Amino acid sequence: MKAYNLFIACAIGIFCVLVWGCERDDICAEDTLTTPRLVIDFYDIANPDELKAVRRLRVIGLDDESMPVDTLSLEGVADPTRILLPLRFQEADTLTITRYLLEEDSDLTADDDPETNSNSDLIEIRYTPEFIYVSRACGYKSIFQFGFNGSVLRITDEDNWIISTEQLKQTIDNEDEAHYIIYH
Amino acid sequence: MKMKHTTLFTISIMVLMLLPLMSASQNTNETTQDTLVYKQNYGLRLGGDIGKLIRSFADKDYKGFEINGDYRFSKHVYLAGELGTEEKTIATDYLDVTASGSYFKVGFDYNAYTNWLDMQNMIYTGFRVGASTFSQTLNEYTVYDTNQAFFNNNYTIRPNEEFKGLSAIWAELIIGIKAEMLTNLFMGVNMQIKGRISQDEPVGFENLYIPGFNRTYDSGAIGIGFGYTLSYLIPIYKKDKKIVVETEKP
């Protein structure tokens, strides 16, 4: 009988540990890897191993009609060597396009000198979203495959500051490393 | 003067301490042992989980039904089992999943309570092995994207995809009470701690709820359940319960 009482005490003890010891898994933790952004690094075209910052970069997201949606916050960095671009997606396994306007020397538009001006280049990102289950709290995330049809292309105009692009990764599934390089 | 007081105090304490001994020595009546016999009903106790029934009416995301039974085959040990079906929808901001299926549990209850006279109440612990077959339907999900606001897109998808033929096996530890409210009618409350042994999970998804096991946790294979039972004892045979009583000789 004494052994039995001990058993009950143990069971109650285990229960208490279970109830109060469990972490909350109904809230998606901030450090969980969910839908990633596209990571682009800027390199020097004259010296392709060196990072080169883009002076006074402004990044503007565009909709399907190439109308500006919003200006992307670069988290206080005026001359970035790396940008992280959110991607649009509607349906899994469908080729999707996101367009961004990258404006170099954006401060020169506003000043009085007509000789100097900013230079805007349009880039077009093509990829295929794929939805992947993460957890009870976070639900699903999207990753993006470049595949055969995917790429980051600079649209040619009279005056391009972006010289070329280079693909580093086939899949956008994290934000740890650059997926693409832009040479300028 | 002081000395006299101390002596008086010591003597009075000694007398006080001896008093119970003296009174005890007076109590020299002889006792004999006598045996009383009570009849106890043995048989099959059948019932249902009223908690699950009430919840089915109160909670639109839940439907559950369980019948349970036990069979007493010795003074302390009962063979016990449960059979039930459950349907539960788990809806969060990002997921909407319905699990539905049936389960059974079988095992033993050990009654640790020493009953008075002819009473048959129980304070028990038990052990069960449970198995469930079920399906999960992914009704809806919203892709989790912390940068969703930038393009302001709606990422909610309604795939209505059903994952069929899932199963799980687990072991349970139960603590509970059963009390006889009316003749042969029992009410009980119990708590179950479950440890999952194995489960079939859908490819690219997971089991959020297993009928009989209840919700799963990311942290491990542990589950918790509660039961509120109402059951009726169908007496099959009676067995003598002997109680030894000490009585004083006149």
Side-chain angles (χ1 to χ4, degrees), chain A residues 125-174:
Chain A
I125 310 155
R126 292 165 176 265
Y127 49 86
T128 308
E130 190 180 312
F131 299 158
I132 290 175
Y133 182 70
V134 182
S135 68
R136 166 193 295 273
C138 307
Y140 280 75
K141 68 172 176 181
S142 179
I143 65 166
F144 308 99
Q145 304 282 359
F146 283 117
F148 291 115
N149 303 319
S151 60
V152 176
L153 284 179
R154 181 255 296 138
I155 307 300
T156 312
D157 56 23
E158 309 93 65
D159 182 20
N160 286 118
W161 63 270
I162 296 171
I163 311 297
S164 69
T165 60
E166 183 189 337
Q167 185 178 346
L168 298 181
K169 296 274 191 306
Q170 273 297 321
T171 307
I172 304 168
D173 57 359
N174 64 63

Side-chain angles (χ1 to χ4, degrees), chain B residues 100-111:
Chain B
S100 128
S102 49
Y103 62 92
F104 75 91
K105 301 190 273 187
V106 63
F108 296 93
D109 284 340
Y110 178 89
N111 188 8

Side-chain angles (χ1 to χ4, degrees), chain A residues 17-164:
Chain A
V17 170
L18 283 175
V19 168
W20 289 287
C22 283
E23 76 261 35
R24 287 290 302 272
D25 50 19
D26 295 329
I27 292 168
C28 188
E30 259 181 54
D31 55 358
T32 311
L33 207 60
T34 55
T35 303
R37 290 168 290 180
L38 170 68
V39 182
I40 294 177
D41 275 357
F42 295 107
Y43 278 81
D44 191 349
I45 186 68
N47 192 357
D49 291 333
E50 293 289 316
L51 283 166
K52 185 182 170 191
V54 183
R55 206 187 148 270
R56 296 291 185 270
L57 181 69
R58 184 154 71 184
V59 180
I60 299 160
L62 305 177
D63 63 11
D64 285 329
E65 283 81 42
S66 288
M67 295 303 287
V69 175
D70 202 355
T71 303
L72 188 71
S73 160
L74 299 178
E75 281 142 23
V77 183
D79 310 329
T81 57
R82 167 175 286 193
I83 51 172
L84 287 85
L85 304 178
L87 298 177
R88 303 195 307 165
F89 50 92
Q90 280 297 317
E91 269 179 83
D93 310 319
T94 308
L95 187 71
T96 309
I97 298 169
T98 301
R99 291 186 188 85
Y100 276 98
L101 204 60
L102 305 184
E103 186 180 1
E104 193 187 30
D105 300 328
S106 58
D107 56 331
L108 299 183
T109 325
D111 68 12
D112 298 331
D113 189 351
E115 295 296 305
T116 58
N117 217 333
S118 69
N119 188 351
S120 292
D121 276 11
L122 184 73
I123 59 166
E124 194 170 281
I125 310 155
R126 292 165 176 265
Y127 49 86
T128 308
E130 190 180 312
F131 299 158
I132 290 175
Y133 182 70
V134 182
S135 68
R136 166 193 295 273
C138 307
Y140 280 75
K141 68 172 176 181
S142 179
I143 65 166
F144 308 99
Q145 304 282 359
F146 283 117
F148 291 115
N149 303 319
S151 60
V152 176
L153 284 179
R154 181 255 296 138
I155 307 300
T156 312
D157 56 23
E158 309 93 65
D159 182 20
N160 286 118
W161 63 270
I162 296 171
I163 311 297
S164 69

Side-chain angles (χ1 to χ4, degrees), chain A residues 1 4 11 15 18 23 25-26 34-35 37 70 72 86 88-90 98 100 131 133 136 138 140 142, chain B residues 95 110 112 124-125 138 141 143-144 147 150-151 153 155 157 175 191 204-206 208 215-216 218-219 222:
Chain A
M1 209 52 181
Y4 184 78
F15 175 74
L18 283 175
E23 76 261 35
D25 50 19
D26 295 329
T34 55
T35 303
R37 290 168 290 180
D70 202 355
L72 188 71
R88 303 195 307 165
F89 50 92
Q90 280 297 317
T98 301
Y100 276 98
F131 299 158
Y133 182 70
R136 166 193 295 273
C138 307
Y140 280 75
S142 179
Chain B
L95 274 179
Y110 178 89
Y124 64 97
T125 60
L138 180 60
Y141 65 87
V143 177
Y144 193 92
N147 303 293
F150 188 71
F151 283 110
N153 280 336
Y155 302 147
I157 294 109
I175 308 171
M191 187 189 82
F205 195 50
E206 72 175 336
L208 297 180
R215 66 157 287 183
T216 59
D218 293 350
S219 43
I222 300 293

